[in-house]
Amino acid sequence: MNQTATVDHFPVLDLDPFSTEFLQDPYPFHEQLREAGPVVWLSKYRVWAMARYEQVHATLKDWETYCSSAGGGLANFNKEEPWRPPSIILEADPPLHNRTRSVLQRILTRTAIEKLRAGFELEAEKLVESVLARGHIDGVMDLAEVFPLRVFPDAVGLTKEGRENLLPYANMTFNAFGPRNELFEAAFAEAETVSSWIMEQCKRESLTADGLGAQVFAAADAGEVTEKEAGMLVRSLLTAGLDTTVHGITSALYSFACFPQQWQKLREQPKMLRPAFEEVVRFQSPVQTFFRTTTREVQVGETLLQKDQKVLLFLAAANRDPRKWDNPDTFDITRRAIGHVGFGAGIHVCVGQMVARLEAESVLTALLRKVDRLELVGEPQRRLNNTLRGLSSLPLLLHKA
Ligand code: OVP
């Protein structure tokens, strides 16, 4: 047998990143993954994993070597049937990805989204006023879930009926990026009803004439995408646009409840709001992981990855890699959090990030004006998901300013 030029040895870990133990408290496991090496073999799922910032970032940037068309989750679409027709933006490579991306990108730019700001801020003021009157609230059920549901479906142009299907559908999709474990099965209990409602809302005739959905269909009228593709892009908006921002707002409330001095600092300098939310996303990483698939043999450190292998990217671990960040486990709104991979990086970087920021900023601005302190008055309850990190409950006492 010929000796290859590269010594091919690599760390092997048998941990399960989708187990209850891991998802409850991922941080010790993230450290173990980072310390094990630049790339690690996860024997339980027979996939590669990267948890250091340098490799996660480089992999996200190299879409030619690490493709998305074989799926953003554990399932390899080259070998397994996807649970739904793949997303034509998330689970697509150039050139298809470029064409679909440019449509959503134009609709979701900062200037396009600015038109929504006044309405979002008004809703946030009203909501914060009403929760403040109660004092004791649940940060998730009364704020983080309520606000996006009040503004986003209207912004897209959905009908009022059936909106209760939106979060269950997102829960299905984000669990479906993981293995077919108990979380996956539980999320899919009402899959048929939920999916068929979602698909119905993606049709041109289901959408109002003035929303983001109608703008996607305008791109079909202009010949940029087909009618069917427009529907699929609306599906992407509905899948990726709601639960993610629920988790982003939850992350902000949780961070500021845990670190009251940071809230005080932000109240003194409200101009710090944008960088503060960036730090929230770095620190909490509402989207914890994504997969890519190798399109060729590729060397990472001393390890040779074969073609058509799944690579699990720990965005959350990269966002707390001490090789990249000073005091990574400290929530500090004055740090330069830019460069975090909480929104991804490269050609697939979150296309909706301006909407996410606008929603978070609207809620936090209203709270900053009216709330002196967010006091944690009970044990937060984790909501476990194969991809998202969030809470089902966050007991808070809001102290009036
Ligand atoms: C976080 C994302 C997540 C889930 C679904 C889709 C996108 C989609 O395009 O359908 S990005």
mmCIF file with all atom_site columns, all heavy atoms in Angstrom, residues 15-35:
data_model
loop_
_atom_site.group_PDB
_atom_site.id
_atom_site.type_symbol
_atom_site.label_atom_id
_atom_site.label_alt_id
_atom_site.label_comp_id
_atom_site.label_asym_id
_atom_site.label_entity_id
_atom_site.label_seq_id
_atom_site.pdbx_PDB_ins_code
_atom_site.Cartn_x
_atom_site.Cartn_y
_atom_site.Cartn_z
_atom_site.occupancy
_atom_site.B_iso_or_equiv
_atom_site.pdbx_formal_charge
_atom_site.auth_seq_id
_atom_site.auth_comp_id
_atom_site.auth_asym_id
_atom_site.auth_atom_id
_atom_site.pdbx_PDB_model_num
ATOM 1   N N   . LEU A 1 15 ? -19.910 11.967 21.409 1.00 0.00 ? 15 LEU A N   1
ATOM 2   C CA  . LEU A 1 15 ? -21.012 12.753 21.993 1.00 0.00 ? 15 LEU A CA  1
ATOM 3   C C   . LEU A 1 15 ? -22.142 12.942 20.976 1.00 0.00 ? 15 LEU A C   1
ATOM 4   O O   . LEU A 1 15 ? -21.944 12.829 19.768 1.00 0.00 ? 15 LEU A O   1
ATOM 5   C CB  . LEU A 1 15 ? -20.497 14.109 22.504 1.00 0.00 ? 15 LEU A CB  1
ATOM 6   C CG  . LEU A 1 15 ? -19.712 15.018 21.563 1.00 0.00 ? 15 LEU A CG  1
ATOM 7   C CD1 . LEU A 1 15 ? -20.638 15.757 20.631 1.00 0.00 ? 15 LEU A CD1 1
ATOM 8   C CD2 . LEU A 1 15 ? -18.880 15.995 22.367 1.00 0.00 ? 15 LEU A CD2 1
ATOM 9   N N   . ASP A 1 16 ? -23.336 13.220 21.522 1.00 0.00 ? 16 ASP A N   1
ATOM 10  C CA  . ASP A 1 16 ? -24.526 13.430 20.689 1.00 0.00 ? 16 ASP A CA  1
ATOM 11  C C   . ASP A 1 16 ? -24.979 14.884 20.808 1.00 0.00 ? 16 ASP A C   1
ATOM 12  O O   . ASP A 1 16 ? -25.588 15.263 21.802 1.00 0.00 ? 16 ASP A O   1
ATOM 13  C CB  . ASP A 1 16 ? -25.649 12.490 21.133 1.00 0.00 ? 16 ASP A CB  1
ATOM 14  C CG  . ASP A 1 16 ? -26.922 12.671 20.292 1.00 0.00 ? 16 ASP A CG  1
ATOM 15  O OD1 . ASP A 1 16 ? -26.958 13.590 19.441 1.00 0.00 ? 16 ASP A OD1 1
ATOM 16  O OD2 . ASP A 1 16 ? -27.867 11.882 20.500 1.00 0.00 ? 16 ASP A OD2 1
ATOM 17  N N   . PRO A 1 17 ? -24.684 15.713 19.797 1.00 0.00 ? 17 PRO A N   1
ATOM 18  C CA  . PRO A 1 17 ? -25.030 17.135 19.893 1.00 0.00 ? 17 PRO A CA  1
ATOM 19  C C   . PRO A 1 17 ? -26.530 17.408 19.851 1.00 0.00 ? 17 PRO A C   1
ATOM 20  O O   . PRO A 1 17 ? -26.946 18.568 19.987 1.00 0.00 ? 17 PRO A O   1
ATOM 21  C CB  . PRO A 1 17 ? -24.335 17.759 18.679 1.00 0.00 ? 17 PRO A CB  1
ATOM 22  C CG  . PRO A 1 17 ? -24.031 16.649 17.764 1.00 0.00 ? 17 PRO A CG  1
ATOM 23  C CD  . PRO A 1 17 ? -24.015 15.370 18.531 1.00 0.00 ? 17 PRO A CD  1
ATOM 24  N N   . PHE A 1 18 ? -27.339 16.360 19.668 1.00 0.00 ? 18 PHE A N   1
ATOM 25  C CA  . PHE A 1 18 ? -28.791 16.532 19.630 1.00 0.00 ? 18 PHE A CA  1
ATOM 26  C C   . PHE A 1 18 ? -29.467 15.848 20.822 1.00 0.00 ? 18 PHE A C   1
ATOM 27  O O   . PHE A 1 18 ? -30.685 15.670 20.828 1.00 0.00 ? 18 PHE A O   1
ATOM 28  C CB  . PHE A 1 18 ? -29.340 16.023 18.291 1.00 0.00 ? 18 PHE A CB  1
ATOM 29  C CG  . PHE A 1 18 ? -28.646 16.658 17.110 1.00 0.00 ? 18 PHE A CG  1
ATOM 30  C CD1 . PHE A 1 18 ? -27.678 15.957 16.390 1.00 0.00 ? 18 PHE A CD1 1
ATOM 31  C CD2 . PHE A 1 18 ? -28.927 17.970 16.741 1.00 0.00 ? 18 PHE A CD2 1
ATOM 32  C CE1 . PHE A 1 18 ? -27.016 16.544 15.314 1.00 0.00 ? 18 PHE A CE1 1
ATOM 33  C CE2 . PHE A 1 18 ? -28.270 18.565 15.671 1.00 0.00 ? 18 PHE A CE2 1
ATOM 34  C CZ  . PHE A 1 18 ? -27.311 17.860 14.959 1.00 0.00 ? 18 PHE A CZ  1
ATOM 35  N N   . SER A 1 19 ? -28.656 15.465 21.811 1.00 0.00 ? 19 SER A N   1
ATOM 36  C CA  . SER A 1 19 ? -29.212 14.838 23.018 1.00 0.00 ? 19 SER A CA  1
ATOM 37  C C   . SER A 1 19 ? -29.694 15.911 23.984 1.00 0.00 ? 19 SER A C   1
ATOM 38  O O   . SER A 1 19 ? -29.259 17.066 23.926 1.00 0.00 ? 19 SER A O   1
ATOM 39  C CB  . SER A 1 19 ? -28.149 13.982 23.705 1.00 0.00 ? 19 SER A CB  1
ATOM 40  O OG  . SER A 1 19 ? -27.088 14.818 24.160 1.00 0.00 ? 19 SER A OG  1
ATOM 41  N N   . THR A 1 20 ? -30.573 15.528 24.884 1.00 0.00 ? 20 THR A N   1
ATOM 42  C CA  . THR A 1 20 ? -31.085 16.453 25.900 1.00 0.00 ? 20 THR A CA  1
ATOM 43  C C   . THR A 1 20 ? -29.944 17.039 26.719 1.00 0.00 ? 20 THR A C   1
ATOM 44  O O   . THR A 1 20 ? -29.897 18.240 26.968 1.00 0.00 ? 20 THR A O   1
ATOM 45  C CB  . THR A 1 20 ? -32.078 15.707 26.825 1.00 0.00 ? 20 THR A CB  1
ATOM 46  O OG1 . THR A 1 20 ? -33.128 15.195 26.007 1.00 0.00 ? 20 THR A OG1 1
ATOM 47  C CG2 . THR A 1 20 ? -32.658 16.622 27.875 1.00 0.00 ? 20 THR A CG2 1
ATOM 48  N N   . GLU A 1 21 ? -29.011 16.175 27.115 1.00 0.00 ? 21 GLU A N   1
ATOM 49  C CA  . GLU A 1 21 ? -27.888 16.622 27.950 1.00 0.00 ? 21 GLU A CA  1
ATOM 50  C C   . GLU A 1 21 ? -27.090 17.716 27.242 1.00 0.00 ? 21 GLU A C   1
ATOM 51  O O   . GLU A 1 21 ? -26.744 18.746 27.837 1.00 0.00 ? 21 GLU A O   1
ATOM 52  C CB  . GLU A 1 21 ? -26.994 15.416 28.247 1.00 0.00 ? 21 GLU A CB  1
ATOM 53  C CG  . GLU A 1 21 ? -25.950 15.683 29.299 1.00 0.00 ? 21 GLU A CG  1
ATOM 54  C CD  . GLU A 1 21 ? -24.853 14.623 29.329 1.00 0.00 ? 21 GLU A CD  1
ATOM 55  O OE1 . GLU A 1 21 ? -24.818 13.732 28.440 1.00 0.00 ? 21 GLU A OE1 1
ATOM 56  O OE2 . GLU A 1 21 ? -24.005 14.719 30.236 1.00 0.00 ? 21 GLU A OE2 1
ATOM 57  N N   . PHE A 1 22 ? -26.804 17.507 25.972 1.00 0.00 ? 22 PHE A N   1
ATOM 58  C CA  . PHE A 1 22 ? -26.030 18.478 25.198 1.00 0.00 ? 22 PHE A CA  1
ATOM 59  C C   . PHE A 1 22 ? -26.820 19.779 25.028 1.00 0.00 ? 22 PHE A C   1
ATOM 60  O O   . PHE A 1 22 ? -26.306 20.871 25.257 1.00 0.00 ? 22 PHE A O   1
ATOM 61  C CB  . PHE A 1 22 ? -25.684 17.888 23.830 1.00 0.00 ? 22 PHE A CB  1
ATOM 62  C CG  . PHE A 1 22 ? -24.689 18.702 23.023 1.00 0.00 ? 22 PHE A CG  1
ATOM 63  C CD1 . PHE A 1 22 ? -23.377 18.257 22.860 1.00 0.00 ? 22 PHE A CD1 1
ATOM 64  C CD2 . PHE A 1 22 ? -25.066 19.907 22.414 1.00 0.00 ? 22 PHE A CD2 1
ATOM 65  C CE1 . PHE A 1 22 ? -22.462 18.993 22.111 1.00 0.00 ? 22 PHE A CE1 1
ATOM 66  C CE2 . PHE A 1 22 ? -24.146 20.644 21.663 1.00 0.00 ? 22 PHE A CE2 1
ATOM 67  C CZ  . PHE A 1 22 ? -22.848 20.194 21.510 1.00 0.00 ? 22 PHE A CZ  1
ATOM 68  N N   . LEU A 1 23 ? -28.072 19.653 24.636 1.00 0.00 ? 23 LEU A N   1
ATOM 69  C CA  . LEU A 1 23 ? -28.870 20.847 24.316 1.00 0.00 ? 23 LEU A CA  1
ATOM 70  C C   . LEU A 1 23 ? -29.192 21.673 25.566 1.00 0.00 ? 23 LEU A C   1
ATOM 71  O O   . LEU A 1 23 ? -29.311 22.892 25.484 1.00 0.00 ? 23 LEU A O   1
ATOM 72  C CB  . LEU A 1 23 ? -30.158 20.444 23.589 1.00 0.00 ? 23 LEU A CB  1
ATOM 73  C CG  . LEU A 1 23 ? -29.966 19.778 22.214 1.00 0.00 ? 23 LEU A CG  1
ATOM 74  C CD1 . LEU A 1 23 ? -31.298 19.269 21.682 1.00 0.00 ? 23 LEU A CD1 1
ATOM 75  C CD2 . LEU A 1 23 ? -29.306 20.725 21.217 1.00 0.00 ? 23 LEU A CD2 1
ATOM 76  N N   . GLN A 1 24 ? -29.321 21.004 26.714 1.00 0.00 ? 24 GLN A N   1
ATOM 77  C CA  . GLN A 1 24 ? -29.586 21.734 27.959 1.00 0.00 ? 24 GLN A CA  1
ATOM 78  C C   . GLN A 1 24 ? -28.424 22.659 28.299 1.00 0.00 ? 24 GLN A C   1
ATOM 79  O O   . GLN A 1 24 ? -28.626 23.796 28.698 1.00 0.00 ? 24 GLN A O   1
ATOM 80  C CB  . GLN A 1 24 ? -29.805 20.750 29.129 1.00 0.00 ? 24 GLN A CB  1
ATOM 81  C CG  . GLN A 1 24 ? -31.210 20.178 29.218 1.00 0.00 ? 24 GLN A CG  1
ATOM 82  C CD  . GLN A 1 24 ? -32.260 21.173 29.703 1.00 0.00 ? 24 GLN A CD  1
ATOM 83  O OE1 . GLN A 1 24 ? -31.951 22.289 30.119 1.00 0.00 ? 24 GLN A OE1 1
ATOM 84  N NE2 . GLN A 1 24 ? -33.515 20.779 29.626 1.00 0.00 ? 24 GLN A NE2 1
ATOM 85  N N   . ASP A 1 25 ? -27.216 22.142 28.165 1.00 0.00 ? 25 ASP A N   1
ATOM 86  C CA  . ASP A 1 25 ? -26.031 22.934 28.505 1.00 0.00 ? 25 ASP A CA  1
ATOM 87  C C   . ASP A 1 25 ? -24.904 22.605 27.530 1.00 0.00 ? 25 ASP A C   1
ATOM 88  O O   . ASP A 1 25 ? -24.040 21.770 27.808 1.00 0.00 ? 25 ASP A O   1
ATOM 89  C CB  . ASP A 1 25 ? -25.600 22.621 29.953 1.00 0.00 ? 25 ASP A CB  1
ATOM 90  C CG  . ASP A 1 25 ? -24.416 23.482 30.365 1.00 0.00 ? 25 ASP A CG  1
ATOM 91  O OD1 . ASP A 1 25 ? -24.118 24.476 29.669 1.00 0.00 ? 25 ASP A OD1 1
ATOM 92  O OD2 . ASP A 1 25 ? -23.778 23.151 31.386 1.00 0.00 ? 25 ASP A OD2 1
ATOM 93  N N   . PRO A 1 26 ? -24.924 23.259 26.372 1.00 0.00 ? 26 PRO A N   1
ATOM 94  C CA  . PRO A 1 26 ? -23.971 22.886 25.313 1.00 0.00 ? 26 PRO A CA  1
ATOM 95  C C   . PRO A 1 26 ? -22.525 23.343 25.564 1.00 0.00 ? 26 PRO A C   1
ATOM 96  O O   . PRO A 1 26 ? -21.604 22.831 24.930 1.00 0.00 ? 26 PRO A O   1
ATOM 97  C CB  . PRO A 1 26 ? -24.535 23.585 24.069 1.00 0.00 ? 26 PRO A CB  1
ATOM 98  C CG  . PRO A 1 26 ? -25.351 24.724 24.582 1.00 0.00 ? 26 PRO A CG  1
ATOM 99  C CD  . PRO A 1 26 ? -25.888 24.278 25.911 1.00 0.00 ? 26 PRO A CD  1
ATOM 100 N N   . TYR A 1 27 ? -22.341 24.283 26.487 1.00 0.00 ? 27 TYR A N   1
ATOM 101 C CA  . TYR A 1 27 ? -21.036 24.956 26.576 1.00 0.00 ? 27 TYR A CA  1
ATOM 102 C C   . TYR A 1 27 ? -19.857 24.041 26.905 1.00 0.00 ? 27 TYR A C   1
ATOM 103 O O   . TYR A 1 27 ? -18.810 24.157 26.256 1.00 0.00 ? 27 TYR A O   1
ATOM 104 C CB  . TYR A 1 27 ? -21.129 26.164 27.511 1.00 0.00 ? 27 TYR A CB  1
ATOM 105 C CG  . TYR A 1 27 ? -22.185 27.141 27.016 1.00 0.00 ? 27 TYR A CG  1
ATOM 106 C CD1 . TYR A 1 27 ? -23.370 27.330 27.708 1.00 0.00 ? 27 TYR A CD1 1
ATOM 107 C CD2 . TYR A 1 27 ? -22.021 27.795 25.792 1.00 0.00 ? 27 TYR A CD2 1
ATOM 108 C CE1 . TYR A 1 27 ? -24.359 28.186 27.217 1.00 0.00 ? 27 TYR A CE1 1
ATOM 109 C CE2 . TYR A 1 27 ? -23.002 28.639 25.288 1.00 0.00 ? 27 TYR A CE2 1
ATOM 110 C CZ  . TYR A 1 27 ? -24.168 28.836 26.009 1.00 0.00 ? 27 TYR A CZ  1
ATOM 111 O OH  . TYR A 1 27 ? -25.134 29.661 25.508 1.00 0.00 ? 27 TYR A OH  1
ATOM 112 N N   . PRO A 1 28 ? -19.985 23.117 27.874 1.00 0.00 ? 28 PRO A N   1
ATOM 113 C CA  . PRO A 1 28 ? -18.854 22.206 28.122 1.00 0.00 ? 28 PRO A CA  1
ATOM 114 C C   . PRO A 1 28 ? -18.556 21.330 26.899 1.00 0.00 ? 28 PRO A C   1
ATOM 115 O O   . PRO A 1 28 ? -17.391 21.030 26.614 1.00 0.00 ? 28 PRO A O   1
ATOM 116 C CB  . PRO A 1 28 ? -19.325 21.340 29.300 1.00 0.00 ? 28 PRO A CB  1
ATOM 117 C CG  . PRO A 1 28 ? -20.479 22.054 29.906 1.00 0.00 ? 28 PRO A CG  1
ATOM 118 C CD  . PRO A 1 28 ? -21.087 22.901 28.834 1.00 0.00 ? 28 PRO A CD  1
ATOM 119 N N   . PHE A 1 29 ? -19.594 20.943 26.178 1.00 0.00 ? 29 PHE A N   1
ATOM 120 C CA  . PHE A 1 29 ? -19.403 20.132 24.970 1.00 0.00 ? 29 PHE A CA  1
ATOM 121 C C   . PHE A 1 29 ? -18.747 20.947 23.856 1.00 0.00 ? 29 PHE A C   1
ATOM 122 O O   . PHE A 1 29 ? -17.910 20.450 23.117 1.00 0.00 ? 29 PHE A O   1
ATOM 123 C CB  . PHE A 1 29 ? -20.738 19.554 24.492 1.00 0.00 ? 29 PHE A CB  1
ATOM 124 C CG  . PHE A 1 29 ? -21.365 18.592 25.449 1.00 0.00 ? 29 PHE A CG  1
ATOM 125 C CD1 . PHE A 1 29 ? -22.520 18.922 26.139 1.00 0.00 ? 29 PHE A CD1 1
ATOM 126 C CD2 . PHE A 1 29 ? -20.793 17.340 25.672 1.00 0.00 ? 29 PHE A CD2 1
ATOM 127 C CE1 . PHE A 1 29 ? -23.106 18.026 27.027 1.00 0.00 ? 29 PHE A CE1 1
ATOM 128 C CE2 . PHE A 1 29 ? -21.373 16.432 26.556 1.00 0.00 ? 29 PHE A CE2 1
ATOM 129 C CZ  . PHE A 1 29 ? -22.533 16.785 27.246 1.00 0.00 ? 29 PHE A CZ  1
ATOM 130 N N   . HIS A 1 30 ? -19.159 22.219 23.744 1.00 0.00 ? 30 HIS A N   1
ATOM 131 C CA  . HIS A 1 30 ? -18.535 23.095 22.740 1.00 0.00 ? 30 HIS A CA  1
ATOM 132 C C   . HIS A 1 30 ? -17.036 23.204 22.999 1.00 0.00 ? 30 HIS A C   1
ATOM 133 O O   . HIS A 1 30 ? -16.229 23.147 22.066 1.00 0.00 ? 30 HIS A O   1
ATOM 134 C CB  . HIS A 1 30 ? -19.174 24.488 22.770 1.00 0.00 ? 30 HIS A CB  1
ATOM 135 C CG  . HIS A 1 30 ? -20.565 24.528 22.210 1.00 0.00 ? 30 HIS A CG  1
ATOM 136 N ND1 . HIS A 1 30 ? -21.410 25.592 22.397 1.00 0.00 ? 30 HIS A ND1 1
ATOM 137 C CD2 . HIS A 1 30 ? -21.252 23.631 21.455 1.00 0.00 ? 30 HIS A CD2 1
ATOM 138 C CE1 . HIS A 1 30 ? -22.564 25.360 21.790 1.00 0.00 ? 30 HIS A CE1 1
ATOM 139 N NE2 . HIS A 1 30 ? -22.499 24.178 21.214 1.00 0.00 ? 30 HIS A NE2 1
ATOM 140 N N   . GLU A 1 31 ? -16.677 23.350 24.277 1.00 0.00 ? 31 GLU A N   1
ATOM 141 C CA  . GLU A 1 31 ? -15.253 23.462 24.619 1.00 0.00 ? 31 GLU A CA  1
ATOM 142 C C   . GLU A 1 31 ? -14.518 22.174 24.249 1.00 0.00 ? 31 GLU A C   1
ATOM 143 O O   . GLU A 1 31 ? -13.444 22.200 23.649 1.00 0.00 ? 31 GLU A O   1
ATOM 144 C CB  . GLU A 1 31 ? -15.084 23.771 26.111 1.00 0.00 ? 31 GLU A CB  1
ATOM 145 C CG  . GLU A 1 31 ? -13.623 23.995 26.454 1.00 0.00 ? 31 GLU A CG  1
ATOM 146 C CD  . GLU A 1 31 ? -13.388 24.345 27.916 1.00 0.00 ? 31 GLU A CD  1
ATOM 147 O OE1 . GLU A 1 31 ? -14.332 24.274 28.724 1.00 0.00 ? 31 GLU A OE1 1
ATOM 148 O OE2 . GLU A 1 31 ? -12.231 24.677 28.226 1.00 0.00 ? 31 GLU A OE2 1
ATOM 149 N N   . GLN A 1 32 ? -15.144 21.058 24.581 1.00 0.00 ? 32 GLN A N   1
ATOM 150 C CA  . GLN A 1 32 ? -14.556 19.751 24.257 1.00 0.00 ? 32 GLN A CA  1
ATOM 151 C C   . GLN A 1 32 ? -14.337 19.617 22.747 1.00 0.00 ? 32 GLN A C   1
ATOM 152 O O   . GLN A 1 32 ? -13.285 19.165 22.292 1.00 0.00 ? 32 GLN A O   1
ATOM 153 C CB  . GLN A 1 32 ? -15.516 18.663 24.761 1.00 0.00 ? 32 GLN A CB  1
ATOM 154 C CG  . GLN A 1 32 ? -14.917 17.277 24.850 1.00 0.00 ? 32 GLN A CG  1
ATOM 155 C CD  . GLN A 1 32 ? -15.972 16.244 25.244 1.00 0.00 ? 32 GLN A CD  1
ATOM 156 O OE1 . GLN A 1 32 ? -17.062 16.585 25.722 1.00 0.00 ? 32 GLN A OE1 1
ATOM 157 N NE2 . GLN A 1 32 ? -15.652 14.984 25.024 1.00 0.00 ? 32 GLN A NE2 1
ATOM 158 N N   . LEU A 1 33 ? -15.317 20.048 21.974 1.00 0.00 ? 33 LEU A N   1
ATOM 159 C CA  . LEU A 1 33 ? -15.219 19.982 20.512 1.00 0.00 ? 33 LEU A CA  1
ATOM 160 C C   . LEU A 1 33 ? -14.112 20.889 19.988 1.00 0.00 ? 33 LEU A C   1
ATOM 161 O O   . LEU A 1 33 ? -13.334 20.498 19.119 1.00 0.00 ? 33 LEU A O   1
ATOM 162 C CB  . LEU A 1 33 ? -16.559 20.371 19.877 1.00 0.00 ? 33 LEU A CB  1
ATOM 163 C CG  . LEU A 1 33 ? -17.669 19.316 19.957 1.00 0.00 ? 33 LEU A CG  1
ATOM 164 C CD1 . LEU A 1 33 ? -19.050 19.953 19.861 1.00 0.00 ? 33 LEU A CD1 1
ATOM 165 C CD2 . LEU A 1 33 ? -17.483 18.267 18.851 1.00 0.00 ? 33 LEU A CD2 1
ATOM 166 N N   . ARG A 1 34 ? -14.044 22.116 20.510 1.00 0.00 ? 34 ARG A N   1
ATOM 167 C CA  . ARG A 1 34 ? -12.998 23.057 20.063 1.00 0.00 ? 34 ARG A CA  1
ATOM 168 C C   . ARG A 1 34 ? -11.618 22.543 20.410 1.00 0.00 ? 34 ARG A C   1
ATOM 169 O O   . ARG A 1 34 ? -10.687 22.617 19.599 1.00 0.00 ? 34 ARG A O   1
ATOM 170 C CB  . ARG A 1 34 ? -13.204 24.436 20.713 1.00 0.00 ? 34 ARG A CB  1
ATOM 171 C CG  . ARG A 1 34 ? -14.277 25.303 20.118 1.00 0.00 ? 34 ARG A CG  1
ATOM 172 C CD  . ARG A 1 34 ? -14.212 26.720 20.690 1.00 0.00 ? 34 ARG A CD  1
ATOM 173 N NE  . ARG A 1 34 ? -14.266 26.748 22.135 1.00 0.00 ? 34 ARG A NE  1
ATOM 174 C CZ  . ARG A 1 34 ? -15.365 27.061 22.853 1.00 0.00 ? 34 ARG A CZ  1
ATOM 175 N NH1 . ARG A 1 34 ? -16.478 27.403 22.251 1.00 0.00 ? 34 ARG A NH1 1
ATOM 176 N NH2 . ARG A 1 34 ? -15.323 27.039 24.170 1.00 0.00 ? 34 ARG A NH2 1
ATOM 177 N N   . GLU A 1 35 ? -11.493 22.011 21.645 1.00 0.00 ? 35 GLU A N   1
ATOM 178 C CA  . GLU A 1 35 ? -10.177 21.565 22.112 1.00 0.00 ? 35 GLU A CA  1
ATOM 179 C C   . GLU A 1 35 ? -9.715  20.302 21.409 1.00 0.00 ? 35 GLU A C   1
ATOM 180 O O   . GLU A 1 35 ? -8.522  20.065 21.267 1.00 0.00 ? 35 GLU A O   1
ATOM 181 C CB  . GLU A 1 35 ? -10.189 21.353 23.634 1.00 0.00 ? 35 GLU A CB  1
ATOM 182 C CG  . GLU A 1 35 ? -10.359 22.634 24.441 1.00 0.00 ? 35 GLU A CG  1
ATOM 183 C CD  . GLU A 1 35 ? -9.360  23.731 24.066 1.00 0.00 ? 35 GLU A CD  1
ATOM 184 O OE1 . GLU A 1 35 ? -8.143  23.437 23.971 1.00 0.00 ? 35 GLU A OE1 1
ATOM 185 O OE2 . GLU A 1 35 ? -9.800  24.879 23.833 1.00 0.00 ? 35 GLU A OE2 1
#
